[in-house]
Amino acid sequence: GAVVSQHPSRVICKSGTSVKIECRSLDFQATTMFWYRQFPKQSLMLMATSNEGSKATYEQGVEKDKFLINHASLTLSTLTVTSAHPEDSSFYICSALGKGNYEQYFGPGTRLTVT
Amino acid sequence: EDQVTQSPEALRLQEGESSSLNCSYTVSGLRGLFWYRQDPGKGPEFLFTLYSAGEEKEKERLKATLTKKESFLHITAPKPEDSATYLCAVQAPYSNYQLIWGAGTKLIIKP
């Protein structure tokens, strides 16, 4: 149980375009999901907390107009990187809070490359 | 300051050579400590949650223990497939859900 999927696993886009990443909890409902960014050889950096049916809470320094988060259902959260630039290239990982506990279950990640 | 420190940064072992990874934490009122395994290019995989000093949990060749200052992840007779980065995180005192992450220990098991 507690499987989280992400789509796409890899995406290459041109500078100035927008990219949408989907995060789904496959076998459980997740009222809370998280979006992380991870640079090479570094640990996870929390970008935002996504709550179903309400606005996401962004961490300090994360531009909410650039990283749009929508948590429209109990099994789906999306992250849209708007007007992407090469510095947005990174590994983006989502997680979902397990039902009844504080454990986070992670998706496989999305490698974004902006050219 | 709330923080999590993992050591060593990297560890190379021969297959079958047991060892331990360390996770030291300073946080006011620990509410949960988590161990994850991360393979290259993948998201972290949940391993254990520990809540109170003295608690131990096991899964195959892994055993996690917890004291008031640190946690150890003991690896017994490791195999090459145990090679990965092991991440430790503690529940942030200011949030029910957010985690404070360590930098991880990269474990390499040579056949």
Side-chain angles (χ1 to χ4, degrees), chain A residues 7-55:
Chain A
H7 178 80
S9 58
R10 288 179 175 272
V11 58
I12 300 173
C13 70
K14 292 187 176 180
S15 186
T17 63
S18 296
V19 175
K20 180 186 284 188
I21 303 170
E22 291 186 350
C23 176
R24 294 181 185 272
S25 56
L26 298 185
D27 53 358
F28 66 104
Q29 293 182 329
T31 55
T32 303
M33 290 184 171
F34 304 88
W35 286 96
Y36 291 85
R37 187 171 178 176
Q38 187 174 35
F39 293 100
K41 298 186 178 181
Q42 293 188 26
S43 193
L44 301 163
M45 184 188 79
L46 180 66
M47 298 175 65
T49 302
S50 166
N51 292 296
E52 186 266 336
S54 63
K55 291 183 178 180

Side-chain angles (χ1 to χ4, degrees), chain A residues 49-107:
Chain A
T49 302
S50 166
N51 292 296
E52 186 266 336
S54 63
K55 291 183 178 180
T57 303
Y58 290 82
E59 294 302 297
Q60 192 172 7
V62 178
E63 298 177 59
K64 62 180 180 181
D65 294 331
K66 180 167 187 61
F67 299 100
L68 300 179
I69 292 172
N70 187 321
H71 193 156
S73 78
L74 287 172
T75 59
L76 174 64
S77 176
T78 59
L79 169 68
T80 301
V81 183
T82 63
S83 187
H85 292 284
E87 56 265 31
D88 298 325
S89 298
S90 191
F91 191 53
Y92 292 87
I93 313 174
C94 72
S95 71
L97 202 61
K99 182 180 179 181
N101 55 47
Y102 300 123
E103 295 153 4
Q104 293 184 29
Y105 297 93
F106 286 83

Side-chain angles (χ1 to χ4, degrees), chain B residues 40-56:
Chain B
K42 300 285 182 64
E45 174 191 344
F46 171 75
L47 294 175
F48 304 110
T49 309
L50 301 167
Y51 292 104
S52 57
E55 190 175 358
E56 298 183 354

Side-chain angles (χ1 to χ4, degrees), chain B residues 28-39:
Chain B
S28 50
L30 180 71
R31 295 186 292 162
L33 183 143
F34 305 85
W35 281 99
Y36 287 85
R37 167 192 172 131
Q38 186 175 25
D39 292 297

